[in-house]
């Protein structure tokens, strides 16, 4: 489904990503782990069309999407839940969700998708007329994920979904990630909670200083000395 080949991204003269290659198959969960400043969010933002690559390529179902505009990425079946959620705080919960149904195909199925999002996150149904900015941190993360699902993506990019959330909220969040994946949505997960990310994934990549330094199954990464040193601090 998603193929990233030798991706290079720069901020001025500084190289943020250096020859990064990853792939995500249909219906797969793949995690990107690494220390702070490794380039994980840069990778997500580049896939979402928010940064421009200076080299390499991004393919979705074999189609080149490296340099398409950010608003066109959604039309390729990709939706992103950015770090920090970035909901619209002055709009209602319902309005935030409806804004996610950007693609014409998604708009046609909007009501059915909202019902599914409400099944995943019943609190969003209960707070439909509430201002999104008044939600708790966990509820705002639910809303950010729900809004992305409104686009009916085939691939969901999750950037640090557990950041700043209480452990009990994180437990529920990772269970929902499993349910979303079981529905057929592929997931690329960037996550600070390395153990939880690899437990829910089939495969993973270790990103350090803008480069992929290790790739393998989740069990292989969890057992890796490189992951223990660079991310887990062991």
């Amino acid at each position: 489904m998603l193929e990233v080949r030798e991706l290079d991204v720069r901020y001025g003269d500084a190289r943020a990503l250096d020859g990064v290659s990853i792939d995500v198959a249909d219906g797969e969960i793949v995690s990107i782990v690494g220390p702070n400043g490794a380039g994980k969010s840069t990778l997500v933002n580049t896939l979402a069309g928010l940064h421009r690559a200076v080299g390499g390529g991004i393919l979705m179902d074999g189609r080149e999407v490296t340099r398409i505009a950010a608003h066109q990425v959604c039309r390729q079946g990709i939706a992103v839940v950015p770090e920090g959620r970035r909901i619209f705080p002055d709009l209602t919960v319902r309005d935030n969700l409806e804004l996610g149904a950007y693609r014409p195909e998604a708009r046609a199925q909007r009501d059915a998708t909202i019902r599914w999002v409400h099944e995943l996150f019943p609190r969003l149904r209960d707070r439909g007329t509430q201002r999104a900015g008044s939600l708790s941190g966990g509820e705002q993360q639910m809303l950010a994920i729900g809004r992305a699902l409104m686009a009916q993506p085939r691939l969901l990019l999750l950037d640090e979904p557990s950041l700043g959330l209480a452990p009990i909220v994180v437990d529920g969040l990772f269970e929902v990630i499993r349910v979303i994946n079981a529905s057929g949505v592929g997931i690329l997960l960037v996550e600070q909670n390395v153990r939880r990310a690899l437990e829910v994934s089939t495969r993973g990549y270790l990103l350090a200083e803008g480069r992929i330094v290790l790739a393998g199954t989740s069990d292989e990464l969890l057992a890796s000395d490189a992951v223990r040193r660079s991310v887990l601090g062991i």
Side-chain angles (χ1 to χ4, degrees):
M1 178 171 54
L2 176 72
E3 299 176 67
V4 178
R5 295 291 173 258
E6 299 294 325
L7 198 66
D8 289 331
V9 177
R10 292 179 181 269
Y11 294 130
D13 293 332
R15 179 166 286 180
L17 296 177
D18 185 3
V20 168
S21 295
I22 67 168
D23 59 86
V24 182
D26 274 313
E28 188 178 29
I29 303 181
V30 174
S31 286
I32 306 292
V33 300
N36 291 335
K40 302 186 298 298
S41 290
T42 296
L43 175 58
V44 171
N45 289 335
T46 304
L47 297 178
L50 300 175
H51 292 319
R52 283 285 171 262
V54 298
I58 304 168
L59 302 177
M60 185 68 176
D61 295 325
R63 297 189 302 272
E64 179 76 35
V65 297
T66 311
R67 291 170 180 83
I68 65 174
H71 70 276
Q72 295 176 320
V73 170
C74 185
R75 294 174 181 167
Q76 308 304 315
I78 301 172
V80 60
V81 180
E83 182 180 357
R85 299 143 198 167
R86 299 184 192 175
I87 60 169
F88 297 98
D90 293 329
L91 298 181
T92 67
V93 169
R94 174 83 183 203
D95 287 342
N96 269 270
L97 290 176
E98 291 186 352
L99 284 172
Y102 175 79
R103 297 190 301 148
E105 302 91 333
R107 285 199 297 272
Q109 301 295 322
R110 184 185 63 187
D111 291 343
T113 308
I114 283 182
R115 287 194 295 270
W116 181 50
V117 170
H118 285 168
E119 290 176 6
L120 293 172
F121 302 114
R123 292 187 190 180
L124 299 183
R125 178 184 58 230
D126 299 339
R127 289 160 172 73
T129 59
Q130 190 171 324
R131 285 181 58 255
S134 67
L135 300 178
S136 69
E139 290 166 344
Q140 289 185 18
Q141 188 61 270
M142 295 174 194
L143 180 56
I145 294 173
R147 182 180 60 188
L149 293 176
M150 290 296 299
Q152 296 187 332
R154 292 181 52 224
L155 176 64
L156 186 63
L157 310 179
L158 291 172
D159 191 1
E160 302 286 8
S162 77
L163 187 65
L165 302 183
I168 190 170
V169 177
V170 172
D171 290 343
L173 180 64
F174 274 92
E175 183 56 37
V176 168
I177 289 173
R178 291 182 189 273
V179 173
I180 293 169
N181 178 246
S183 75
V185 179
I187 296 173
L188 181 64
L189 175 62
V190 169
E191 174 55 50
Q192 61 169 352
N193 191 328
V194 176
R195 292 189 184 278
R196 295 302 299 268
L198 293 175
E199 285 170 356
V200 80
S201 306
T202 52
R203 297 186 297 111
Y205 297 89
L206 175 60
L207 186 66
E209 297 181 349
R211 298 180 180 182
I212 298 294
V213 297
L214 185 65
T217 67
S218 294
D219 288 342
E220 289 170 342
L221 264 64
L222 279 170
S224 163
D225 288 340
V227 171
R228 291 172 179 267
R229 287 193 304 268
S230 66
V231 186
L232 300 178
I234 300 174

